[in-house]
Amino acid sequence: MDDPLLAAPMPVLDWVSEATACITRHEHGLLRLEAVAPDILRLRFAPNGRFAAPRPWSPVLDLAPAGLSVREEDGQLWIGTERLSARINLSSGVLAFTTPEGQVFAEDLCAPGWREVSLEETRLQHLPDTELPPGEARIGVGVRKRMAPDEGYFGFGQRDGRLDRRHRRLTHWTVDRVVPGHGLGEDNLYQAQPTFMAVRPGLAWGLLLNSTWFSGFDVGREYEDVLTLFTLGGELDYYIFAGPTPAAVVEQLTRLTGRPLLPPLWALGFHQSRWSYGTDRDVRALAEGFRQRTIPLDAIHLDIDYMDGYRVFTWDHERFPEPAATVAALQALGIRTVTIVDPGVKHDLGAGYGVAEAGVAGEYFLRRADGELFSGWVWPDESLFPDFCSERTRHWWGDLHGSLIEIGVDGIWCDMNEPSIVDRPYREPGVTEYPVPLAVCQGDEGEALHAETHNLYGHLMARATWEGLERLRPERRPWVLTRSAFVGTQCWAASWMGDNSARWEDLETSLPQLASLGLCGAPHVGVDIGGFYGHSFGELYGRWIELGAFYPFMRVHAHCDSRPQEPWSFGPDIEAIARQAIELRYRLLPYFYTLAHRAHRDGEPWWRPLLFDFPDQADLYAIEDQIMIGPQMMIAPIRAHGLKRRLVERPPGCWYDFRSGARLDAGPGPLVMDAPLGAMPILVRGGSILTLGNVRQSTAEPLSELMLEIYPDDAAEGTWTLIEDDGESFAYQDGALAETDARIAPLSQGAVFTLAARRGDYQPAPRSLILRLHLPEAPAGLTLDETPVEDWRWDAELQAAEVRIVDDGQAHCLAPG
Ligand code: GLC
């Protein structure tokens, strides 16, 4: 689809305004602008004058629309709210958006255009169809926008390559990545998120292309500084987010597509996985291996071999004669069990496999356009595929998880849900991908072609799973992991990036990849630590696990032919490094769990690029090898063999070294920081109040100690609110939360620390509170609540004054001097 879809001018023939929308009529088509919220405008252009019907499975939510004012002036139509406006040139139909201050952005270069498109032009590979189905599936619609030269373009979903996506052509079509390795490669991956943000000093704005069809963005690749949006489906439909900061854009995007779920606390712990731990004995030995070596662990994942011939919702009773007893044995050690579930149901009819039979009887599987059941090959050989666009099917599928819940399984891992299908059994040579034909009809009313719903397959499988778990076990928050996803999947599942490789390149690419997803509203993400394909090695594994301790989802996973990747598989030195990294993860859990709550409240990603916190520093936009972990920490990972130190850019403000506790030199330019294996640089921003806990072997153990590491800034006050709850139920929605506000005055004002009384109905277990105030030099004394403290110590190494008290939930004030 290289042809620009360039359109001739499209004068406005007339227009009508409604309370929340304005419609302009053109010789060809209608354009509709709607204020779905004061800071979100929706633009739709239908060349045939008919807007598509709402889809019951759309990932976009209905918000309360805002009032819109419309006026005609100087040959332009001005349409807007107090936060965001659009102006349409009446003679050309060209449109631009403006801020309340009159700053122009996302400005069209021409009116939208459309034309019939061939399958070949989409460059979609491995499709059995030789033509796109007739009708809207063939109509490509697009528009071109000016890219401001000082704008960076970020987000764009799961991708390889650089953080700033200028000069890339990015399309949206979920695929299984069959070629090992991430690095720079094909455009499409397992997930599709047709959304991005553009950031320049003073303004960040966002766009969501509201299309589940094959679509794409050309980000100045075809023409310098020209952004092309295009989609199949016969209608251009997109949302513009007013920003004006990256955080505001993510808030607006997740208001529209749903806030990220709040994971149970255990899901933030360490997960160990492998394809596959073969028998229940192996699994128990693995769990005991962790406990004997005192390496914290919260979850073990069971890959496909637990099933009977890869039949989903069954167990191989030779390998796992008593699954419930095995799961209970793990539970007794504080370890949860996560089982994989693939969408392909073995085509095993008349042989007593209830899932396949019920699926056919209930009409839950996809059928070809000619009415025949659609089948393709996956692990269990010939398989049938549920139609997750159907609400009935989702309900049935969700309920099937009852058998796993009864056994005590805690989490579900949805895999192969792009969906990944091949044309013959895997063991046969020459296997090629064979996707669902585009003309297959989906939905309870058969309302949509697979051409329209393909990108939602994994998203809706994850949703069906989450909703099923919630029905089956309403007292606990479900936890679902998915490989394929779309915008909105953040409501239902965490995701991992699929089959990477044990290579430095794949460690490196995880940094911008996960950061991009955070900008797309998906905060709970991670990659296979150690690498999936290929044999990992000690140095890579050590570097990856020290980095992985900061991934929002932390799991080690490996291919069946790869060498073992348990923390002790690479000898005692690497084992010690892995233990330390995992222990640090557990110490940071009170901070990370607060970040998960913040993500749940307004979408704020906790693994994020520097531009998220420093959007006015254009010189930081390109930095993708340093990552902010929430607003308080910054990591600088090591991405290559043999490095023992690295340069670290310092964004504005004062910074501390997390390991030494010391303030970093304030001189100009990047810092050189030591980074021996196991100790990549970790920095803390001045004004931070980091909350750490004691090391636990699993989150099932209560927190006995809460440590507040306090880092005053030179000039600015710092504030933080620790958020806690029971970590497991939905009671937090009814106020069973504990929120603790803390404040640190700047050094220039004496670095006085105040802690407010705990708010909310949740009562943490009894614990001690350690206050550690980092100061340039030892103070003469300390007062706590205006009384001199006798029992405090100055830790010269960490440059911190430390006091230990009982956490009584009351307000306290700690002052040096
Ligand atoms: C896919 C998954 C991988 C899993 C394997 C076997 O390749 O991405 O994580 O181990 O299937 O189930």
Side-chain angles (χ1 to χ4, degrees):
M1 258 169 85
D2 283 336
D3 179 357
L5 306 160
L6 258 188
M10 202 179 76
V12 175
L13 302 180
D14 52 47
W15 57 272
V16 287
S17 80
E18 300 165 358
T20 62
C22 176
I23 297 157
T24 59
R25 198 167 61 80
H26 307 262
E27 190 184 349
H28 298 286
L30 291 180
L31 190 143
R32 185 171 198 277
L33 257 170
E34 186 184 355
V36 299
D39 46 2
I40 309 175
L41 288 183
R42 179 184 189 186
L43 179 138
R44 303 178 78 180
F45 171 68
N48 64 6
R50 283 191 310 276
F51 294 113
R55 297 304 199 194
W57 28 259
S58 166
V60 175
L61 308 174
D62 287 327
L63 302 178
L68 196 68
S69 69
V70 184
R71 71 188 150 85
E72 204 180 306
E73 204 178 288
D74 300 335
Q76 318 244 35
L77 201 56
W78 292 85
I79 304 164
T81 70
E82 73 279 11
R83 295 282 308 277
L84 176 60
S85 298
R87 55 155 211 243
I88 304 180
N89 184 306
L90 290 168
S91 51
S92 65
V94 167
L95 178 143
F97 294 90
T98 59
T99 66
E101 296 75 35
Q103 215 176 343
V104 177
F105 67 95
E107 181 187 6
D108 289 354
L109 291 166
C110 55
W114 68 96
R115 69 173 172 83
E116 195 165 317
V117 171
S118 70
L119 187 61
E120 218 179 18
E121 284 177 278
T122 64
R123 298 189 219 150
L124 281 174
Q125 288 165 357
H126 312 303
L127 289 180
D129 317 66
T130 50
E131 285 188 338
L132 289 163
E136 70 269 37
R138 288 187 186 171
I139 306 297
V141 194
V143 74
R144 299 193 145 170
K145 292 183 178 290
R146 187 187 311 284
M147 295 166 68
D150 58 344
E151 270 174 341
Y153 282 76
F154 306 103
F156 299 95
Q158 186 193 35
R159 302 282 173 193
D160 291 336
R162 297 266 171 239
L163 185 66
D164 189 337
R165 309 287 179 186
R166 245 177 208 266
H167 303 122
R168 297 267 318 260
R169 175 182 181 273
L170 303 158
T171 58
H172 306 111
W173 193 255
T174 56
V175 292
D176 183 358
R177 169 57 74 93
V178 281
V179 187
H182 281 189
L184 261 182
E186 277 176 52
D187 177 26
N188 295 310
L189 283 173
Y190 311 89
Q191 309 189 7
Q193 286 92 354
T195 184
F196 68 84
M197 66 170 71
V199 187
R200 58 175 111 152
L203 177 66
W205 58 272
L207 187 148
L208 166 66
L209 192 59
N210 188 25
S211 165
T212 59
W213 299 82
F214 174 80
S215 69
F217 298 118
D218 186 297
V219 195
R221 182 170 116 173
E222 197 180 355
Y223 300 105
E224 190 76 22
D225 293 339
V226 176
L227 169 76
T228 307
L229 325 182
F230 58 92
T231 181
L232 297 183
E235 180 178 324
L236 181 67
D237 181 354
Y238 64 87
Y239 293 87
I240 288 282
F241 305 112
T245 60
V249 172
V250 183
E251 188 284 317
Q252 289 147 2
L253 171 69
T254 56
R255 200 186 323 142
L256 189 65
T257 59
R259 299 294 190 210
L261 56 88
L262 179 67
L265 178 61
W266 66 264
L268 301 192
F270 179 58
H271 300 235
Q272 178 71 45
S273 181
R274 171 168 189 83
W275 173 16
S276 292
Y277 294 113
T279 65
D280 61 356
R281 274 187 313 282
D282 297 341
V283 171
R284 287 180 196 225
L286 176 73
E288 268 144 27
F290 273 87
R291 292 299 173 249
Q292 275 155 14
R293 296 176 173 89
T294 60
I295 300 177
L297 178 71
D298 259 83
I300 291 179
H301 289 224
L302 301 186
D303 206 326
I304 47 176
D305 297 296
Y306 78 86
M307 293 182 253
D308 172 16
Y310 307 133
R311 289 172 186 81
V312 284
F313 306 109
T314 67
W315 289 81
D316 180 320
H317 288 292
E318 260 171 43
R319 295 163 184 266
F320 288 87
E322 289 178 276
T326 303
V327 169
L330 298 196
Q331 261 161 12
L333 298 173
I335 299 169
R336 317 279 180 142
T337 304
V338 175
T339 48
I340 198 168
V341 174
D342 293 325
V345 174
K346 190 172 176 69
H347 190 302
D348 198 3
L349 301 170
Y353 178 35
V355 179
E357 273 156 23
V360 172
E363 283 293 335
Y364 300 130
F365 294 128
L366 294 177
R367 287 186 177 272
R368 295 179 177 279
D370 62 9
E372 287 298 307
L373 277 171
F374 166 74
S375 66
W377 275 260
V378 218
W379 308 128
D381 288 345
E382 193 182 359
S383 303
L384 301 165
F385 294 85
D387 174 10
F388 292 113
C389 286
S390 148
E391 213 271 320
R392 288 176 49 249
T393 303
R394 288 201 300 277
H395 205 277
W396 168 68
W397 187 261
D399 285 351
L400 288 172
H401 294 80
S403 61
L404 294 167
I405 297 293
E406 265 168 36
I407 284 172
V409 165
D410 273 286
I412 301 295
W413 166 18
C414 301
D415 190 21
M416 306 290 275
N417 52 0
E418 296 68 35
S420 174
I421 307 173
V422 288
D423 60 345
R424 67 195 91 161
Y426 273 120
R427 58 187 168 276
E428 288 183 12
V431 165
T432 47
E433 277 187 78
Y434 178 85
V436 177
L438 299 177
V440 160
C441 281
Q442 292 194 240
D444 282 320
E445 309 294 330
E447 64 269 8
L449 303 175
H450 186 73
E452 180 180 354
T453 63
H454 174 84
N455 284 328
L456 290 178
Y457 199 84
H459 166 83
L460 291 171
M461 179 190 185
R463 175 176 169 184
T465 308
W466 192 96
E467 289 177 338
L469 296 185
E470 198 219 9
R471 277 195 306 280
L472 291 160
R473 213 175 42 191
E475 68 290 354
R476 284 166 56 182
R477 286 174 231 157
W479 189 74
V480 178
L481 175 67
T482 184
R483 190 169 76 175
S484 187
F486 195 73
V487 280
T489 311
Q490 70 270 6
C491 307
W492 317 112
S495 73
W496 93 106
M497 300 302 110
D499 301 342
N500 60 359
S501 293
R503 304 186 307 177
W504 290 107
E505 290 85 342
D506 289 53
L507 175 155
E508 178 165 15
T509 210
S510 73
L511 307 175
Q513 187 168 57
L514 301 182
S516 299
L517 279 171
L519 299 181
C520 296
H524 298 294
V525 287
V527 306
D528 288 347
I529 295 170
F532 177 76
Y533 287 117
H535 300 306
S536 207
F537 46 94
E539 185 189 5
L540 177 68
Y541 186 85
R543 286 301 189 192
W544 215 327
I545 204 154
E546 71 181 39
L547 160 64
F550 291 86
Y551 288 153
F553 164 56
M554 184 189 188
R555 180 181 78 161
V556 166
H557 181 54
H559 188 273
C560 49
D561 297 331
S562 304
R563 66 180 283 188
Q565 290 194 18
E566 286 68 62
W568 49 87
S569 307
F570 302 91
D573 293 352
I574 300 298
E575 178 182 333
I577 283 169
R579 180 186 295 100
Q580 230 178 51
I582 300 170
E583 285 182 354
L584 176 59
R585 168 83 177 193
Y586 277 76
R587 287 180 57 212
L588 284 166
L589 280 180
Y591 177 52
F592 289 169
Y593 194 62
T594 296
L595 295 181
H597 262 287
R598 288 166 65 108
H600 184 50
R601 286 179 182 181
D602 62 12
E604 180 187 348
W606 47 298
W607 174 281
R608 60 215 205 185
L610 269 44
L611 67 101
F612 187 88
D613 293 270
F614 305 96
D616 294 336
Q617 294 291 125
D619 56 334
L620 299 178
Y621 292 179
I623 294 181
E624 55 191 31
D625 63 347
Q626 293 175 213
I627 295 289
M628 290 295 295
I629 305 296
Q632 305 201 103
M633 299 182 98
M634 181 171 71
I635 57 170
I638 299 296
R639 300 156 296 137
H641 161 69
L643 295 180
K644 295 281 180 287
R645 68 185 70 84
R646 59 160 287 173
L647 285 177
V648 179
E649 287 287 345
R650 264 166 317 165
C654 83
W655 292 87
Y656 290 81
D657 178 350
F658 174 74
R659 290 182 203 284
S660 74
R663 258 177 69 116
L664 293 165
D665 169 24
L671 286 170
V672 178
M673 290 185 74
D674 284 335
L677 187 56
M680 68 173 184
I682 304 171
L683 287 79
V684 185
R685 197 172 171 183
S688 293
I689 300 152
L690 276 184
T691 50
L692 277 73
N694 51 302
V695 173
R696 294 174 277 171
Q697 293 307 296
S698 126
T699 58
E701 292 170 22
L703 201 67
S704 58
E705 210 174 80
L706 183 68
M707 181 180 285
L708 271 52
E709 296 266 10
I710 308 154
Y711 304 86
D713 188 60
D714 289 338
E717 184 181 71
T719 60
W720 188 246
T721 300
L722 170 71
I723 311 175
E724 300 170 278
D725 62 26
D726 65 20
E728 187 88 50
S729 78
F730 287 101
Y732 73 91
Q733 292 177 343
D734 304 318
L737 274 173
E739 291 181 85
T740 313
D741 301 326
R743 186 173 294 272
I744 175 69
L747 284 166
S748 57
Q749 288 170 30
V752 176
F753 173 72
T754 46
L755 194 65
R758 201 156 36 226
R759 294 179 278 122
D761 296 341
Y762 173 69
Q763 185 57 47
R767 63 191 178 194
S768 50
L769 194 63
I770 300 165
L771 306 176
R772 215 186 242 171
L773 184 55
H774 294 259
L775 294 167
E777 55 195 39
L782 281 182
T783 61
L784 183 69
D785 304 329
E786 294 176 6
T787 311
V789 187
E790 308 249 301
D791 196 12
W792 68 281
R793 65 182 196 103
W794 173 251
D795 187 324
E797 236 171 75
L798 286 176
Q799 293 197 34
E802 187 181 300
V803 187
R804 180 183 282 262
I805 58 177
V806 171
D807 182 12
D808 56 8
Q810 299 306 311
H812 293 289
C813 175
L814 182 73

